[in-house]
Amino acid sequence: MSGLSLVILILGLALIGWLAGRMRAAAFRRGSRRRYSSQPVHHGWFVALWTLVPPLLFLVLWATVSPALVTDAVLTNPAAVHLPPLGFERASILSEARSLAQGQSYGAFHQLSQTLAPAYAAAQARYDWIATAIALLLAFAGGAFTFTRVGPGLAARTQIERVVMLLLLLASLIAILTTMGIVVSLVWEAGRFFARVPVADFLFGMHWSPQVISMRDPGASLGAVPLFWGTFFIGAVIAMIVAIPFGLMSAIYLTQYADPTTRKWIKPTLEMLAGVPTVVYGYFAALTVAPAVRQFAVSIGMANASSESALAAGLVMGIMIIPFVSSMADDSLSAVPAAMRDGSLAMGATSSETIRKVLVPAALPGVVGGVLLAVSRAIGETMIVVMAASGVATLTANPFASATTVTKQIVDLLTGEAEFDSPKTLAAFALGLTLFVITLLLNIVALTVVKKYREAYE
Amino acid sequence: MSRSLVPEVPTGTAAPIAHRPTDWTTQASRRRTRRRYAAERRFRLTGLAAVWLSVGFLAFLLVSMMWQGLSGFTETRITLPITLNLDITPERVAGRGGNLALAGAGLEGAVDAAASQAYGAGGADLLSDGAWLRVRDAVKADPDLIHRRFTIDVPAAADIDVAAKGEGTPAAEAQVARLTAAKALSRGINRGFLAQADSTDSTQVGIWGALKGSLLTMAVTLLLAFPIGVFAALYLEEYAPRNRWTDLIEVSINNLAAVPSIIFGLLGLAVFLGTFHMPRSAPIVGGLTLALMTMPVIVIAGRNAIKGVPPSIRDAALAIGASPVQVVFHHVLPLALPGILTGTIIGMARALGETAPLLMIGMRAFIAAPPGGVSDPATVLPVQIFLWSDEVNRGFVEKTSTAIIVLLVFLLAMNGLAIYLRNRFETRW
Amino acid sequence: MTTTSPKITARNVSVYYGDKRAIDDVSIDVTQDEVVAFIGPSGCGKSTFLRTLNRMNDTVASARVEGRIELDGEDIYAPDMDVVQLRARVGMVFQKPNPFPKSIYENVAYGPRIHGLTQSKTELDAIVEGSLRRAGLWDEVKDRLTDSGTALSGGQQQRLCIARAIAVEPEVILMDEPCSALDPIATAKIEELIHELKGRYAIVIVTHNMQQAARVSQRTAFFHLGHLVEFGATSDIFTNPRAERTKDYITGRYG
């Protein structure tokens, strides 16, 4: 019986259990004026859960364990004596036999796979029957046992609610699992990288050209400093030169000068800048901005301006980041107590003087937090640099030249047919780990700064 | 009282300072005031300029995409007079396997021959590679055409199409001029764009494959991220005790929401593809990866929505004898749902536009057929845009922008829905 | 009057919030068919004590209750006491009316539904109508049972909350300053309602308003700084209080 029909059968049994439990509970309640803490519906769910969950758990467990069991059974087959010892070839023969047996492929490279395939099919069928029998047995047992327990003494609702709470808790734990997963997988792969390449070479080396990695000294061409510089230059310098003035002045205008209708329409429009997918920004940067920047560079006399300049990527990135800065600045400015503003105005200061000398200094922690979050976002940005910047790592301070970033290199390293284990692919994980740590630190600092500020005013 | 109200300055010899109000009418004073007002005006104008320039950037981006992409919804067609003399009967055409029969009977060659006849030696090159399919569809609709002479508008080749829309090579533009003079050129709606999958020919290319991939991926993402996110938000807001563990969960979630999306791609690569050996570039892997990325967003939105439900409702429900689970599921959740849905839609919109994590899990291959299910290789719309942006052919420039328009329309619809929901259902307590 | 055994007996009850003691060694009885009023200055613990009677203090993590409280002889803080049923038997009306944001019908029907008190829709309709009648609200809302409960006026909302509490057939009704958010006319209606209800339920009402206590209750308890200072017949408390502090409070020296 196929997996799907087995699951459907179990679901059907659970439904029967639900109806039976509910009916039985309604029966013992009939005619009695006593109050019960569990309603018939709860009894129904109680029976249904015990019918459904044990077999499903068993099936999940079985799915992880059974391939090994089946393989063991196949190995007892006389033909298996011819298998090569533990290694890549052995595994590929076995997996070929498996896919032949399951009907997923029709031809085979190895003669042995053809011979073993029937053994596979037989073993699989045998174990499938065992699994079906056990699952159905669990379903019936669970259902019958709980059905007999349905009665006035059964705290069905409490049990059900405990299960619900457990589900809620499990859902929350997934968040921790994800974080752990990220950290563990990055650290693990990066660890394999640092086993081959010394950390110092990676973090402080000035030369990055992953196409030519020598086996003797891989660290010599995997120095990431140009990448760090490129990321910093494009994301933290150029982008911020655009984003901070536009973002801050927009926030100032919208909170201090604009009338409510303008603010109501313009604020969401600015947020839209953050909603445009980065691939669109990247395309726009590559198609329109980069050639324009190059024209400009040529016209002011730079002969070898790149068409993949850092400036093009940085400008577009800055535009994308504007709403991050403006929205945090907006919140911080609005949170400054009106009393401060009134006090300054009442002294005869103009609005601009009030803003420059009173409000912005008061809102500064929030603005700084917003800038840090924006930098963190810019550093982690991928598509704009992939499409508009180059892959050549240089250490230039010339915005019209090309530069590359950590994120672009991650993408480049992982495309192409390199083995999963080479220093090239592992380097991507090392870069990823670095990126993760830096953005995490920036976010923590930003949130601490903002939180401290909020406490000061409340 | 004759005592002066001004405290004495403790230097013995100095006379007490007479307190006079400032004279605002002096020249110097007036000049200062004027300068201050001028500075005020400049500052205000700078702010206004910042706002309008920022909005202008957005407008410029959108307009330039539209400008380049709108024409992608149209195709250039060439009028082709054609007589098919194929060895096939109308009944065979109308029956099952008619497509195969027509192909076998040499329809494609006949179309090319007709083109050469009408337009000279290079005539077949004027037509798109898929032109014969258009003829085939016409013949299937009216099988009697196989023995008649008829004219049909078929799609033009990529370089003609590009030249007709204004950007072609001199040779192509010459052809266009010739065809226009012969009144053989026309424009029509490119219906194939939304229905066809990827192709190497820019006149035959469509986004259906990528759209279907996006839909499947979004479905997986939603099915995973929404329940987990909502349940986690409920637990953290309603039931979690205040201890080290729950603080840790909260910090993890807040940080996850700010992690760059490419890191999730690396996670997907290492765990889903590396450890679990799931099928590369399949919607199920993409959906799993994006779900991990979207879940924190839903949790944070959910927590804010739940926080907005007033405690008096919970008190009233408890006092009437509802259990804590009943309080949450009968009262809190329904009231928090609009906020949760708004946050979910915004999170999904962000996931729809994501490219980098999906590149990491392999969705960057050329997929010629739309995926059949969640474990078939697929691509998504933003990745398709990225892949097309690399193409050299000028026709792809246009189509990339057209695909961008489709993507932006979807995003606009989703964000609009979120805003509508928020305005309609947000209750003020 | 026949001496009926008390509905609620509280013996040596102390309530702590963390280390802070909010209620100190209070012992009190509430019998069937009577209204007991808790009076005292702000912060003296009367609401806190009221909330121990239906274990609403359980919702505060740092709250700890010592002593013994019995409902019909059963210890309500025993581990096997079903809190959900307790709260159906001891209903509560809050200071600020808090109807659910559902229809008037649903507000009243919710309790009977979750406690499984009815088998059919007609039974449920009957309970809803009966509760609304007993709360004096039926005539005003019988044509608009599907309107939202929050669309009613303040006084009507409070009567709706009373109807909601009545619908699960409680034995005791606790009222925590039920009229303090209402205008005088609505207040008068509620007081009239309390008078009618005391025939069926034991009622404990916390009030800031001494005249209200004098009007509605048969016995009054005076709380001060977490202590039960004096407890006796309302007429005695107000005309001839024994404790000095009671006299000072009654005469308006403080509070």
Side-chain angles (χ1 to χ4, degrees):
Chain A
M1 167 180 311
S2 92
L4 189 60
S5 25
L6 182 58
V7 169
I8 293 182
L9 181 60
I10 295 179
L11 278 173
L13 285 174
L15 180 62
I16 295 177
W18 188 86
L19 288 169
R22 198 176 68 146
M23 271 196 319
R24 185 178 164 116
F28 77 70
R29 283 166 56 97
R30 221 188 310 271
S32 140
R33 284 287 322 178
R34 230 190 87 181
R35 296 207 199 206
Y36 298 98
S37 79
S38 308
Q39 307 313 315
V41 182
H42 300 128
H43 291 272
W45 278 110
F46 183 65
V47 176
L49 273 180
W50 274 98
T51 314
L52 187 64
V53 170
L56 283 187
L57 280 181
F58 164 74
L59 285 177
V60 166
L61 213 65
W62 182 260
T64 51
V65 161
S66 75
L69 285 175
V70 172
T71 316
D72 279 349
V74 169
L75 289 177
T76 59
N77 186 294
V81 161
H82 301 291
L83 277 174
L86 223 48
F88 185 65
E89 212 192 328
R90 177 188 175 99
S92 88
I93 294 179
L94 285 174
S95 88
E96 224 179 18
R98 184 175 343 130
S99 54
L100 278 174
Q102 285 171 353
Q104 280 172 0
S105 56
Y106 294 106
F109 275 131
H110 304 267
Q111 184 59 22
L112 203 47
S113 320
Q114 298 263 20
T115 342
L116 286 177
Y120 240 111
Q124 188 78 52
R126 194 165 66 243
Y127 278 107
D128 276 351
W129 274 112
I130 297 179
T132 311
I134 298 184
L136 285 177
L137 190 66
L138 283 174
F140 274 114
F145 179 60
T146 45
F147 180 74
T148 53
R149 285 192 53 197
V150 168
L154 179 65
R157 188 189 45 117
T158 322
Q159 303 277 12
I160 304 280
E161 293 186 345
R162 251 188 234 143
V163 169
V164 171
M165 295 279 282
L166 187 66
L167 277 178
L168 296 187
L169 178 62
L170 283 177
S172 319
L173 289 180
I174 297 218
I176 289 205
L177 250 138
T178 311
T179 315
M180 266 173 46
I182 291 183
V183 171
V184 163
S185 65
L186 285 181
V187 167
W188 177 259
E189 303 291 347
R192 286 162 72 194
F193 175 73
F194 288 126
R196 314 248 210 124
V197 174
V199 180
D201 280 1
F202 176 72
L203 284 180
F204 303 116
M206 308 284 238
H207 183 61
W208 179 269
S209 52
Q211 293 78 12
V212 286
I213 300 180
S214 90
M215 282 302 129
R216 278 175 299 111
D217 186 14
S221 48
L222 286 174
V225 168
L227 304 184
F228 297 148
W229 167 252
T231 309
F232 175 75
F233 188 45
I234 294 182
V237 174
I238 300 182
M240 285 302 125
I241 289 181
V242 172
I244 294 182
F246 280 99
L248 188 56
M249 286 309 295
S250 300
I252 289 176
Y253 184 81
L254 286 177
T255 50
Q256 307 298 322
Y257 292 112
D259 58 88
T261 333
T262 317
R263 187 177 148 82
K264 190 175 100 152
W265 286 106
I266 298 285
K267 197 157 185 288
T269 314
L270 277 184
E271 303 289 329
M272 274 171 71
L273 275 173
V276 175
T278 54
V279 70
V280 177
Y281 275 118
Y283 187 62
F284 178 65
L287 198 68
T288 314
V289 178
V293 166
R294 186 160 184 280
Q295 295 268 55
F296 176 73
V298 163
S299 71
I300 61 169
M302 304 194 67
N304 55 350
S306 165
S307 62
E308 293 176 316
S309 56
L311 189 59
L315 278 179
V316 175
M317 203 186 282
I319 294 176
M320 181 187 82
I321 300 287
I322 290 176
F324 287 85
V325 176
S326 86
S327 127
M328 282 293 265
D330 193 303
D331 287 345
S332 319
L333 285 169
S334 307
V336 176
M340 268 202 190
R341 185 166 186 253
D342 290 347
S344 172
L345 290 176
M347 262 177 40
T350 62
S351 277
S352 68
E353 286 160 1
T354 308
I355 294 170
R356 273 182 293 128
K357 303 216 160 78
V358 176
L359 289 183
V360 170
L364 203 57
V367 172
V368 166
V371 168
L372 286 177
L373 280 177
V375 169
S376 155
R377 178 82 178 80
I379 287 181
E381 174 45 46
T382 314
M383 292 319 290
I384 297 183
V385 281
V386 163
M387 292 166 92
S390 81
V392 176
T394 53
L395 264 180
T396 170
N398 173 7
F400 295 104
S402 64
T404 191
T405 65
V406 170
T407 47
K408 161 116 175 107
Q409 286 305 309
I410 293 179
V411 173
D412 280 351
L413 287 172
L414 287 173
T415 48
E417 301 310 313
E419 273 179 33
F420 200 69
D421 274 0
S422 69
K424 214 170 141 193
T425 33
L426 291 178
F429 284 93
L431 285 175
L433 182 62
T434 320
L435 182 66
F436 180 67
V437 169
I438 305 257
T439 48
L440 193 66
L441 284 175
L442 276 173
N443 289 326
I444 291 179
V445 170
L447 287 176
T448 324
V449 162
V450 171
K451 201 156 61 159
K452 269 217 173 86
Y453 163 81
R454 268 210 205 107
E455 283 169 1
Y457 277 124
E458 266 160 29
Chain B
M1 252 193 299
S2 58
R3 204 160 32 107
S4 161
L5 292 171
V6 176
E8 299 246 78
V9 180
T11 58
T13 46
I17 302 170
H19 194 64
R20 269 194 333 268
T22 315
D23 183 357
W24 292 102
T25 55
T26 64
Q27 274 283 57
S29 245
R30 273 196 239 199
R31 204 173 31 237
R32 261 203 313 272
T33 313
R34 262 200 311 273
R35 270 212 298 270
R36 287 171 65 201
Y37 272 122
E40 165 73 17
R41 257 194 311 276
R42 278 197 302 271
F43 190 76
R44 188 170 182 280
L45 280 175
T46 317
L48 187 61
V51 170
W52 284 113
L53 273 177
S54 304
V55 174
F57 291 144
L58 181 65
F60 182 50
L61 173 72
L62 293 177
V63 166
S64 79
M65 288 297 133
M66 295 270 276
W67 186 254
Q68 286 173 347
L70 267 181
S71 57
F73 286 112
T74 63
E75 61 181 3
T76 315
R77 297 186 190 148
I78 297 184
T79 319
L80 184 66
I82 182 170
T83 320
L84 291 169
N85 274 320
L86 299 175
D87 182 19
I88 192 167
T89 58
E91 297 74 36
R92 186 85 185 80
V93 167
R96 290 179 60 186
N99 284 346
L100 216 51
L102 281 171
L107 181 59
E108 193 171 354
V111 171
D112 284 346
S116 307
Q117 204 177 35
Y119 297 111
D125 290 335
L126 291 177
L127 303 182
S128 151
D129 285 343
W132 73 277
L133 294 167
R134 203 62 67 92
V135 179
R136 184 192 72 185
D137 291 339
V139 168
K140 278 215 77 172
D142 183 11
D144 287 324
L145 288 174
I146 50 170
H147 293 309
R148 287 212 310 262
R149 181 185 170 76
F150 61 100
T151 30
I152 181 171
D153 287 338
V154 293
D159 44 355
I160 302 292
D161 185 50
V162 163
K165 290 170 180 168
E167 298 250 356
T169 61
E173 300 212 346
Q175 292 280 30
V176 168
R178 189 181 73 135
L179 287 167
T180 325
K183 292 215 182 6
L185 220 56
S186 62
R187 209 59 106 69
I189 304 280
N190 180 356
R191 276 196 205 92
F193 188 70
L194 288 175
Q196 283 157 204
D198 202 2
S199 154
T200 44
D201 179 350
S202 74
T203 56
Q204 291 193 76
V205 86
I207 51 169
W208 173 237
L211 257 185
K212 193 163 175 205
S214 275
L215 285 172
L216 287 171
T217 311
M218 288 293 112
V220 174
T221 307
L222 186 64
L223 280 173
L224 289 173
F226 185 71
I228 297 179
V230 173
F231 280 6
L234 282 175
Y235 180 76
L236 288 172
E237 274 307 305
E238 295 287 323
Y239 299 120
R242 292 248 152 269
N243 59 23
R244 299 254 312 269
W245 284 111
T246 49
D247 280 346
L248 184 64
I249 296 181
E250 206 177 313
V251 166
S252 299
I253 291 183
N254 287 336
N255 281 327
L256 274 181
V259 167
S261 59
I262 194 170
I263 305 276
F264 286 98
L266 287 174
L267 174 68
L269 178 62
V271 174
F272 298 134
L273 293 184
T275 313
F276 289 146
H277 301 293
M278 296 180 96
R280 220 178 143 77
S281 108
I284 180 130
V285 182
L288 268 168
T289 312
L290 290 179
L292 290 179
M293 194 184 80
T294 313
M295 187 258 300
V297 172
I298 298 186
V299 171
I300 293 177
R303 289 189 72 172
N304 286 333
I306 292 169
K307 276 195 194 116
V309 177
S312 60
I313 303 273
R314 295 189 183 84
D315 273 348
L318 278 173
I320 205 140
S323 67
V325 167
Q326 284 170 328
V327 170
V328 161
F329 282 91
H330 292 172
H331 299 278
V332 175
L333 189 55
L335 291 174
L337 209 52
I340 293 177
L341 282 179
T342 309
T344 307
I345 293 178
I346 293 183
M348 295 300 293
R350 192 180 134 193
L352 180 61
E354 277 297 336
T355 322
L358 299 176
L359 288 179
M360 299 281 99
I361 57 148
M363 273 187 172
R364 62 183 302 162
F366 174 79
I367 313 275
V374 290
S375 46
D376 294 334
T379 187
V380 292
L381 196 49
V383 172
Q384 183 76 89
I385 292 173
F386 170 64
L387 292 174
W388 282 352
S389 71
D390 262 346
E391 296 279 347
V392 176
N393 187 329
R394 192 75 198 148
F396 272 103
V397 170
E398 172 201 60
K399 292 295 191 293
T400 312
S401 305
T402 316
I404 289 180
I405 293 179
V406 174
L407 180 61
L408 288 178
V409 164
F410 267 102
L411 289 176
L412 191 69
M414 286 172 86
N415 279 306
L417 180 63
I419 293 180
Y420 168 72
L421 270 182
R422 183 164 57 196
N423 290 339
R424 176 106 158 69
F425 289 108
E426 191 157 60
T427 15
R428 305 244 170 272
W429 295 105
Chain C
M1 178 164 65
T2 50
T3 36
T4 38
S5 67
K7 196 75 180 153
I8 296 185
T9 46
R11 292 282 171 270
N12 309 106
V13 175
S14 297
V15 179
Y16 297 83
Y17 286 120
D19 289 331
K20 191 180 123 211
R21 183 159 59 188
I23 296 285
D24 187 10
D25 199 24
V26 171
S27 301
I28 204 169
D29 285 345
V30 178
T31 52
Q32 191 69 39
D33 303 346
E34 75 165 340
V35 179
V36 172
F38 289 178
I39 61 172
S42 297
C44 64
K46 27 188 217 299
S47 287
T48 309
F49 183 71
L50 191 75
R51 291 164 75 97
T52 60
L53 300 179
N54 67 349
R55 288 183 66 167
M56 281 299 275
N57 280 320
D58 287 4
T59 61
V60 178
S62 61
R64 200 176 79 235
V65 174
E66 289 176 357
R68 193 172 166 90
I69 303 182
E70 289 179 1
L71 175 68
D72 278 343
E74 295 170 61
D75 178 9
I76 67 175
Y77 281 90
D80 59 351
M81 167 57 87
D82 186 357
V83 172
V84 149
Q85 282 195 36
L86 171 70
R87 292 190 185 137
R89 294 170 66 190
V90 181
M92 181 173 254
V93 175
F94 294 85
Q95 182 170 353
K96 194 163 169 304
N98 54 8
F100 299 132
K102 304 183 196 231
S103 70
I104 296 174
Y105 183 92
E106 277 307 313
N107 262 279
V108 184
Y110 179 69
R113 228 189 241 128
I114 57 168
H115 289 292
L117 298 180
T118 62
Q119 315 277 13
S120 73
K121 179 87 169 39
T122 29
E123 269 188 56
L124 190 57
D125 287 348
I127 291 185
V128 169
E129 184 178 334
S131 311
L132 285 170
R133 273 190 198 283
R134 253 179 275 154
L137 196 56
W138 176 252
D139 288 326
E140 289 166 59
V141 302
K142 63 176 183 248
D143 298 325
R144 45 185 183 127
L145 289 176
T146 50
D147 284 0
S148 168
T150 48
L152 298 172
S153 76
Q156 288 172 323
Q157 283 187 19
Q158 195 63 300
R159 273 179 283 150
L160 178 60
C161 293
I162 294 177
R164 181 176 68 187
I166 290 176
V168 292
E169 294 170 28
E171 297 155 45
V172 183
I173 300 182
L174 307 176
M175 297 191 175
D176 191 351
E177 301 198 39
C179 303
S180 60
L182 305 178
D183 61 79
I185 298 184
T187 303
K189 284 217 183 100
I190 302 270
E191 287 182 12
E192 210 182 287
L193 184 55
I194 293 177
H195 200 69
E196 286 166 19
L197 290 175
K198 83 161 193 292
R200 269 176 99 113
Y201 314 101
I203 298 183
V204 182
I205 175 168
V206 165
T207 178
H208 236 129
N209 184 336
M210 285 186 284
Q211 286 77 16
Q212 181 175 76
R215 283 192 295 265
V216 298
S217 65
Q218 282 74 57
R219 286 198 291 163
T220 300
F222 172 57
F223 284 80
H224 184 234
L225 296 179
H227 298 273
L228 175 59
V229 175
E230 196 169 336
F231 179 44
T234 304
S235 44
D236 288 344
I237 294 274
F238 282 104
T239 52
N240 197 13
R242 272 172 288 143
E244 192 63 35
R245 274 187 287 177
T246 321
K247 195 156 34 156
D248 286 344
Y249 181 68
I250 304 286
T251 52
R253 270 270 194 87
Y254 64 87

